[in-house]
Amino acid sequence: LAARYPGAGSAYTFVGATLGQRAGLVAGWITLGAYLSFVMLSVAGFGLFGANMLARSPTAPHLSPDVLSLVGAAVIGVLCLTSLRVTGRALMALEGISILAMIALSVVVLSKVFESHGPIGDPRIRLVFVPPEGVGMAAIALGLGFGFLTYAGFEESVTLGEEVTQASRTIPRVMILTVLTAGIACTIISAAEVLGFGVSPADMERFTSSTSLLGDLATMYAGHGVGDVFDVFAMLSALSAGLAATAASSRIIFALLRDYAPASRLGRIETGTGTPRNAALLVLAVGVLGYQAMRQVFSASASDAFFWASTLAALGILMVYLLVSISAGSSVVRTGAGARRGVLIIPVSYTHLTLPTKRIV
């Protein structure tokens, strides 16, 4: 779909091109809601990880997660106002450094665990792939939910379909590489987190009560100072996720308004940067207000707000992926003449449809 219908609308464009305008509008709004939840999640995570790090230091000022979340939102806002090139470089730097550091820590933890220096008495590499005794299918199914969410948001690059060169080739390649990279990295990191804490009931209790898994692991296996460093990496990762979600949301708003309210200033593209500035700032403001509403109106802790936002994002993404999957199936079972044919799993052809497009930059 990304190769056939490159554009800024993501699921809005895909579903609209294959299932009709109304279905596309529904998909667009759900995608926008999911990305808004990602913004709330990122703002909450930045405040939560930052507060945890400061709380462990006897000399550092103990700022609340709410104050730190506003700082994170301000940084995201400044980056959103820059050009796509600057935004892309910032994303690469923030997320790239964080992922490399997380993988490095995970390798250290796993090596110590398999050398019997961890909480597991007789470790075996099969523990990474074979569930321990007492873990049934219900638990595995619940774990698959987390496994699915590992990939949530990989499609955000689709919203740049009108800004990158040779989008029909570049965007699909980026998505495939993202899925492969996320799968490998998150398998290593998740294995290190679980085996590093241990698999006994008491170990799992510590695991589930931790608000900074990698920070606590770094403290356990490398010292207190290293744990603080990984809280910083977690904050950088939250910033990059918030920046990506804000940028993607602004481009979906642009695509929606281009079709339904082309004169709206909200969807206007800044000539200097090629960015929907007003839309990006609106998304960021709504994300901050949503986080504060969870904290103040519903008396949620910073950790609760983090997980509530992740739940909202997960539900929205699940619905979007379902609609896009139906769209993909619909687009490959029809030929241009309207004849139907059976396609099993892999899409091999697309319905021809020309969509009006407008270059953002």
Side-chain angles (χ1 to χ4, degrees), residues 8 32 35 80 245-255 266-267 269 275-281 283:
L32 182 58
Y35 287 173
C80 278
T246 303
S249 299
S250 68
R251 282 150 177 83
I252 292 176
I253 291 175
F254 161 77
L266 184 60
I269 299 298
T275 300
R277 182 190 65 182
N278 296 337
L281 294 179
V283 167

Side-chain angles (χ1 to χ4, degrees), residues 218-234:
T219 300
M220 292 164 56
Y221 288 90
H224 289 280
V226 181
D228 293 339
V229 170
F230 274 89
D231 274 334
V232 173
F233 286 136

